[in-house]
Amino acid sequence: MTSADTSGRLPDAFLRPGSSSFVDFLGAHSPDLLPGRRLTAGGAPADGLAPHATTIVALTFGTDDGGRGVIMAGDRRATAGNLIASREMEKVFAADAYSVVGIAGSAGVAIELVRLFQLELEHYEKIEGSLLSLDGKANRLSTMIRGNLPLALQGLAVVPLFAGYDLDRGYGRLFSYDVTGGRYEEHDHHTVGSGSVFARGALKKLWRPGLDADAAVGVAVEALYDAADDDSATGGPDPVRQIWPVVTVVDADGVRHVGDDELAGTVERIVAERGAAHRAAHGDRPAGGGTRQRNQGGARA
Amino acid sequence: MTMPFYVSPEQLMKDRADFARKGIARGRSVVVLAYEGGIAFATENPSRALHKISEIYDRIAFAAVGKYNEFENLRVAGVRYADLRGYSYDRTDVTARGLANAYAQTLGTVFTTESKPLEVELVVAEVGPTPGADQIYRLSYDGSVADEHGHVVMGGQAEQLGARVADAWHEGMSLAEVLALAVRTLGAVGADGSVTAEGEEREIAPGGLEVAVLERAGRRRAFRRLQGAVLAGLLDQPGDRDGAEQV
């Protein structure tokens, strides 16, 4: 506890009426604990020092009248330069009972931001006795990302994707952000992170209105599979270590993590379909055309 | 020149204590009872928004009697204390004992140094992994702390009601049993503030009660409010009526 008061009594700042925001309280009482306030040496570029978290996808499912929900999924890889820093990193978190947040960017800063964001929502809920509105939550996240701008300028950017069930309106919504804290509501689907280009391409072809939750989970996993196919920083499903993407479903019942058994089945189905499609196109020959052409130029092996 | 009246420290403290006690006794009681699966809190409170029982942290709850603005301030301070501690260390490092100490120091300092003591009495409770590890701290207006075992009654007529609860409470009671005991205890105070004889308690409708529990098993956040149909169902269990008839 950062307090000069040694008598053990609660400091005056704790007893001051006012803000229901933990971030505001922290900023006033112990600003050094806020992630974005820490200055690194001389403002030197700091990217490349810390692991990077990569691709997050999110998409809606269901119909407007039947209770639209949102699915968010993330791969499990963190990279540091050309190395894999972690195979089991989780980048999609339940922010509270009705919303999830996924992060791409500098892993250490991002995880601390998520921890603070979760606490911010819980703190408000405890003090006010009611949940923050979904727009309110999205705006709080915006403020926190903006607070991280000094670090972002040094290369430690965090780009979240936020999704939740709007209890007032009765459907799920999706928000994307930029490093300056800009908040944009997305419709249907969105992706962030290094493999987002490929994942978004896949979502454009695979997503359609009125998907049910199970089909939407399949689409999310398949989009991540495509991202991992072309982006070296995105990890594909790992059947050897039994590591699957983190997939969360948010609907009127709240946040639910999709279980490993269900994901294993989904991955198995996607791999089998892709294998069948490949065999239909090329028979049993490898994709290279059968004959090895070792002297071909281009990409290095 | 006028001489200021001399007031002995004993008299000063006694006056302040009387003042605080009077303020606290005006409010309705809060009953805190440990049961097999956690700790239950109950009070008579028709308001759905102004709570006397609240969540502080994952396994810690807060209950108060007295002046609303004063204990609300302490509650918010407690939430800030717990969240800041959990954020700078770890969630497991937030304990009811630490919070009770901070409250005790605060109440004690205000009692001796400020012109008016805080007219509040608090309970800080933490549910543990086993019933033996449950902690219930009762804090008075002067900063004194008592580590209670299993049951606490605060507020008006606390002594008489506390004696009744002490007789009826035993370890290993179910949630429905402790809620029946709590409602019986709360109903023993009549509209004029007098304590009725046992067996002649007022009936209190579930809508007029504020009830919450800290549940031992299950989710990270153990605090749960019991309202509406859930509460009515628990209060209406046949087992309780049998229990009530034995009294």
Side-chain angles (χ1 to χ4, degrees):
Chain A
M1 196 114 323
T2 49
S3 169
D5 195 343
T6 51
S7 72
R9 68 175 286 193
L10 293 163
D12 286 344
F14 286 56
L15 291 155
R16 203 167 294 142
S19 176
S20 305
S21 162
F22 184 71
V23 175
D24 291 355
F25 168 68
L26 208 55
H29 185 254
S30 343
D32 50 313
L33 287 174
L34 281 177
R37 297 281 177 88
R38 281 179 215 136
L39 293 173
T40 49
D47 52 338
L49 289 180
H52 238 72
T54 46
T55 313
I56 307 290
V57 304
L59 61 150
T60 61
F61 67 92
T63 51
D64 282 354
D65 51 330
R68 174 153 42 105
V70 191
I71 282 174
M72 190 179 287
D75 73 306
R76 303 288 291 274
R77 182 170 292 177
T79 55
N82 64 328
L83 299 179
I84 294 173
S86 169
R87 292 189 175 84
E88 295 180 61
M89 194 187 159
E90 297 195 5
K91 309 165 201 173
V92 178
F93 306 87
D96 67 356
Y98 289 98
S99 62
V100 288
V101 59
I103 42 131
S106 194
V109 182
I111 287 173
E112 198 172 352
L113 263 176
V114 167
R115 205 157 77 90
L116 189 58
F117 183 55
Q118 289 170 325
L119 191 54
E120 172 80 354
L121 300 187
E122 190 184 312
H123 189 78
Y124 181 94
E125 190 188 328
K126 285 191 288 197
I127 291 197
E128 293 290 320
S130 62
L131 288 170
L132 206 53
S133 69
L134 191 67
D135 282 300
K137 294 176 198 173
N139 286 337
R140 285 315 300 175
L141 185 56
S142 196
T143 312
M144 290 169 62
I145 296 298
R146 196 170 300 126
N148 194 50
L149 192 57
L151 287 183
L153 290 174
Q154 296 187 313
L156 300 176
V158 177
V159 182
L161 194 56
F162 178 66
Y165 189 81
D166 193 325
L167 290 162
D168 301 323
R169 303 193 191 185
Y171 54 79
R173 296 165 71 196
L174 191 55
F175 299 90
S176 72
Y177 294 84
D178 61 31
V179 287
T180 63
R183 184 204 102 165
Y184 314 96
E185 180 155 10
E186 304 289 344
H187 302 284
D188 306 338
H189 51 76
H190 197 74
T191 59
V192 291
S194 62
S196 60
V197 185
F198 310 108
R200 197 170 308 167
L203 282 178
K204 280 185 175 174
K205 299 296 172 214
L206 295 170
W207 184 88
R208 56 183 190 282
L211 281 172
D212 67 24
D214 290 344
V217 169
V219 168
V221 175
E222 201 160 350
L224 285 174
Y225 188 95
D226 279 326
D229 209 17
D230 285 309
D231 172 32
S232 62
T234 303
D238 188 342
V240 175
R241 298 186 182 86
Q242 299 280 302
I243 299 170
W244 318 113
V246 175
V247 185
T248 54
V249 180
V250 193
D251 57 17
D253 298 329
V255 175
R256 170 173 75 87
H257 276 79
V258 179
D260 280 353
D261 294 346
E262 195 179 333
L263 289 172
T266 308
V267 168
E268 200 178 324
R269 177 180 60 74
I270 291 168
V271 172
E273 280 172 12
R274 296 281 172 115
H278 180 81
R279 280 190 297 279
H282 301 286
D284 284 333
R285 286 172 296 135
T291 53
R292 303 267 159 97
Q293 293 172 320
R294 287 199 183 87
N295 298 325
Q296 212 169 30
R300 278 182 296 153
Chain B
M1 202 180 101
T2 53
M3 288 286 287
F5 286 110
Y6 171 75
V7 183
S8 70
E10 289 89 348
Q11 188 59 42
L12 189 69
M13 291 301 144
K14 189 178 169 299
D15 286 353
R16 288 184 173 193
D18 285 346
F19 172 80
R21 256 199 298 267
K22 248 184 247 167
I24 292 163
R26 269 197 294 272
R28 294 198 194 274
S29 307
V30 170
V31 184
V32 182
L33 297 167
Y35 68 98
E36 210 184 354
I39 301 169
F41 304 77
T43 183
E44 205 179 345
N45 183 1
S47 170
R48 287 276 147 270
L50 305 175
H51 296 299
K52 291 182 173 183
I53 303 163
S54 314
E55 173 184 18
I56 294 281
Y57 210 63
D58 293 352
R59 305 182 76 77
I60 303 173
F62 168 99
V65 292
K67 274 191 91 174
Y68 179 79
N69 64 328
E70 293 180 351
F71 69 68
E72 172 66 9
N73 219 339
L74 289 169
R75 178 186 77 86
V76 169
V79 172
R80 286 174 177 164
Y81 165 92
D83 279 347
L84 180 59
R85 210 178 163 82
Y87 182 67
S88 34
Y89 301 128
D90 183 72
R91 298 198 82 92
T92 51
D93 297 316
V94 181
T95 59
R97 190 179 51 77
L99 182 63
N101 275 334
Y103 276 145
Q105 295 300 335
T106 307
L107 288 165
T109 313
V110 172
F111 184 76
T112 47
T113 61
E114 309 224 341
S115 52
K116 182 191 95 63
L118 292 172
E119 296 161 71
V120 294
E121 211 172 327
L122 315 176
V123 158
V124 174
E126 177 176 356
V127 66
T130 59
D134 287 351
Q135 294 170 47
I136 303 177
Y137 298 100
R138 175 192 188 148
L139 295 122
S140 298
Y141 50 86
D142 60 353
S144 57
V145 191
D147 183 354
E148 302 281 354
H149 178 70
H151 53 86
V152 175
V153 180
M154 306 184 286
Q157 285 77 37
E159 272 178 34
Q160 284 165 280
L161 299 181
R164 280 198 202 183
V165 169
D167 288 342
W169 184 85
H170 58 86
E171 274 178 38
M173 288 173 90
S174 73
L175 177 58
E177 282 168 352
V178 291
L179 287 183
L181 172 59
V183 173
R184 217 155 59 229
T185 310
L186 295 170
V189 180
D192 56 347
S194 62
V195 178
T196 61
E198 293 197 30
E200 290 169 22
E201 292 93 355
R202 276 182 304 135
E203 291 256 330
I204 306 173
L209 288 168
E210 179 183 352
V211 178
V213 288
L214 281 172
E215 286 173 319
R216 196 181 313 287
R219 301 156 308 143
R220 171 174 68 84
R221 288 169 74 179
F223 186 83
R224 187 158 71 94
R225 291 192 187 282
L226 300 178
Q227 290 166 326
V230 179
L231 179 60
L234 277 165
L235 291 176
D236 200 33
Q237 283 188 10
D240 306 337
R241 288 209 200 90
D242 298 342
E245 277 157 21
Q246 286 163 18
V247 170

